[in-house]
Structures are given as structure tokens and as C-alpha cells.
Amino acid sequence: MEGFTLALALIDAIPVLSFGISMVIIASRFDSPLFMVGAALSVLAGCCKVLWKLILGISHKDIKWLNKPFVPMQATGFLLMLISFVLGFRKISWSTVLTAVTGFPSIVFFAAWIGLMILMGWYRKYKFQRDDAHSNWMAQIINAIGQTCLLLGILFAG
């Protein structure tokens, strides 16, 4: 696959790292083994995708089994995290969460994250082409900025 470079793999690592750190912070405050498993599965899916792009960028070998599980693993991880929130709904201090999330400047970063994830969904549905390097660059730039906004929102929320 032409144009899949080491730089593309490295830019793909940014959202995985940002999301991973975000999940560690949330997991440390939301005591749920189910959430931790879901977060770990989602981060592992991202790591597999980064590794796939690294190998593709360095050796130009398309190791499909590293890329194929991305969507099912990530979706399963998100589902487990969602279930953990539903099961732990009463344990969460929603007034504390609301105060932290809506404070300045965290609200700006959370709003940007939501907007960028909507843009990412639209881009993935209407513009993204799996085998096109330019398309992957655009998706990774949107995702890198978005996941970094999530992390900054969490950090500023305290």
C-alpha cells in the first residue's frame, strides 16, 4: 500500500496514547473492573492498528491480522465501558462530574472533542478510504487532535 509511512504510523500513535492516558485517569476514579477491561481492549485495538501501520511503513508488508480486529475489538471495548457506566450509575457522583466537566477550560476541550469525534464519524462514513494514505492522514490528524482534547479536558477537570 503506497504512501503508508513511518510518519503515518507515528501520528496514529498519538490518539492511542492520549486515549490510553485518559482511560487510566478515568479508571482510577471509577472503580470498575469491567471498565478497565473495556478500556484495555479499546487501547489494545489501537495498538494493533499502530503496529500494523509501523510494519507497513517500515517493511511494506501488510499483516492483515493486525488490522482486522480493530473495529470489533474497539467496539467491544466501548460496549464494556458503557455497560460498566450503566451498572455503576448510582456510584457516580454526577454533580461532581458535571461541575468538573463544565468548568473552564475543560468545557472547551470536551466540546472540541465531541465536535471532532462527530467530524471523524462523518469523515469515516463519507470520505475515508482504508487503502489511501491521504485519507488515513486526514483521519489520524482529526483523531489525534480529538483524543488530545479529551485528555486535556480530563486533566483540566482535575
Side-chain angles (χ1 to χ4, degrees):
M1 292 183 358
E2 200 65 33
F4 281 73
T5 62
L6 179 59
L8 179 59
L10 294 176
I11 193 92
D12 194 16
I14 294 170
V16 174
L17 183 61
S18 293
F19 180 79
I21 295 168
S22 296
M23 294 304 100
V24 167
I25 294 168
I26 292 171
S28 72
R29 295 180 181 154
F30 180 59
D31 185 28
S32 169
L34 188 59
F35 180 86
M36 290 180 211
V37 169
L41 196 56
S42 293
V43 172
L44 181 60
C47 289
C48 286
K49 185 95 167 185
V50 169
L51 184 58
W52 172 72
K53 285 184 181 174
L54 276 171
I55 293 169
L56 194 58
I58 293 169
S59 70
H60 305 288
K61 292 181 183 174
D62 185 1
I63 302 177
K64 292 183 188 326
W65 65 266
L66 278 173
N67 186 28
K68 278 196 173 203
F70 176 72
V71 172
M73 281 175 67
Q74 191 175 56
T76 303
F78 285 146
L79 179 61
L80 291 175
M81 288 187 283
L82 180 63
I83 291 169
S84 75
F85 277 121
V86 170
L87 294 175
F89 190 82
R90 292 179 188 218
K91 291 193 289 185
I92 298 169
S93 172
W94 289 105
S95 61
T96 303
V97 170
L98 187 60
T99 300
V101 168
T102 58
F104 186 80
S106 58
I107 186 75
V108 174
F109 291 109
F110 287 127
W113 171 67
I114 290 168
L116 287 160
M117 292 303 96
I118 291 168
L119 176 60
M120 182 69 169
W122 174 87
Y123 186 79
R124 184 117 173 108
K125 182 172 180 163
Y126 296 108
K127 300 289 184 180
F128 185 75
Q129 297 172 3
R130 180 179 116 52
D131 297 335
D132 178 61
H134 180 269
S135 182
N136 275 267
W137 269 103
M138 290 301 296
Q140 289 318 312
I141 289 169
I142 294 167
N143 198 22
I145 296 169
Q147 296 306 326
T148 301
C149 283
L150 173 64
L151 176 57
L152 289 170
I154 291 169
L155 291 173
F156 281 113

